[in-house]
Amino acid sequence: MVQSQAGDVDGYLAELPEARTPAVTRLRQLCRTELAGFTEVMAYGMPAYERDGVAEIAFASQKQYISFYLMRSDVRDAFATRLAGHDMGKGCLRFRNPATIDFDLIRDLLRATAANPGKIC
């Protein structure tokens, strides 16, 4: 997907290819459940979750994969063992197949993010 021009996350979801809608909707539901006190926004054309005006989590449907952005290096460091072996850039997990998304890992990353504020990379 090219950077979305959607004004809100519902609009973003409506633009998704049908095959990705269930996985991305589940990501959103996890974020909304686990990130109490965060604000759901659109930032840089993707859904993001802010605490005190700073995005700490985001996700996007890219051309070749679904990205989950974890912008907290302390959380990434704490989960280094579980993240090993995943396709990961500096701050994002990439899932080429929606069926392979480790939602248990995502949930645990969200819980760790929500537990305490931290420095954004």
Side-chain angles (χ1 to χ4, degrees):
M1 171 184 279
V2 179
Q3 190 175 53
S4 175
Q5 299 301 312
D8 59 25
V9 180
D10 288 327
Y12 181 87
L13 294 173
E15 297 174 347
L16 292 175
E18 187 176 330
R20 292 196 179 178
T21 300
V24 176
T25 298
R26 186 166 177 198
L27 280 174
R28 181 191 193 192
Q29 290 168 338
L30 273 173
C31 289
R32 291 174 73 149
T33 299
E34 301 299 338
L35 299 175
F38 284 65
T39 303
E40 182 180 74
V41 299
M42 288 295 293
Y44 301 101
M46 63 184 160
Y49 296 84
E50 297 180 344
R51 176 175 17 208
D52 300 324
V54 177
E56 296 186 37
I57 297 290
F59 57 81
S61 178
Q62 307 291 351
K63 185 176 181 179
Q64 298 295 323
Y65 47 82
I66 295 171
S67 296
F68 175 80
Y69 295 89
L70 174 61
M71 294 172 251
R72 294 264 305 278
S73 57
D74 60 325
V75 175
R76 280 196 315 274
D77 292 346
F79 282 79
T81 302
R82 287 183 65 192
L83 291 169
H86 286 278
D87 182 1
M88 186 161 185
K90 180 182 177 190
C92 79
L93 282 163
R94 297 179 203 97
F95 299 97
R96 293 194 182 278
N97 179 347
T100 65
I101 296 175
D102 185 344
F103 288 106
D104 291 332
L105 173 60
I106 298 293
R107 182 197 64 236
D108 293 345
L109 292 168
L110 293 171
R111 287 179 178 172
T113 298
N116 298 298
K119 185 178 178 185
I120 302 303
C121 60

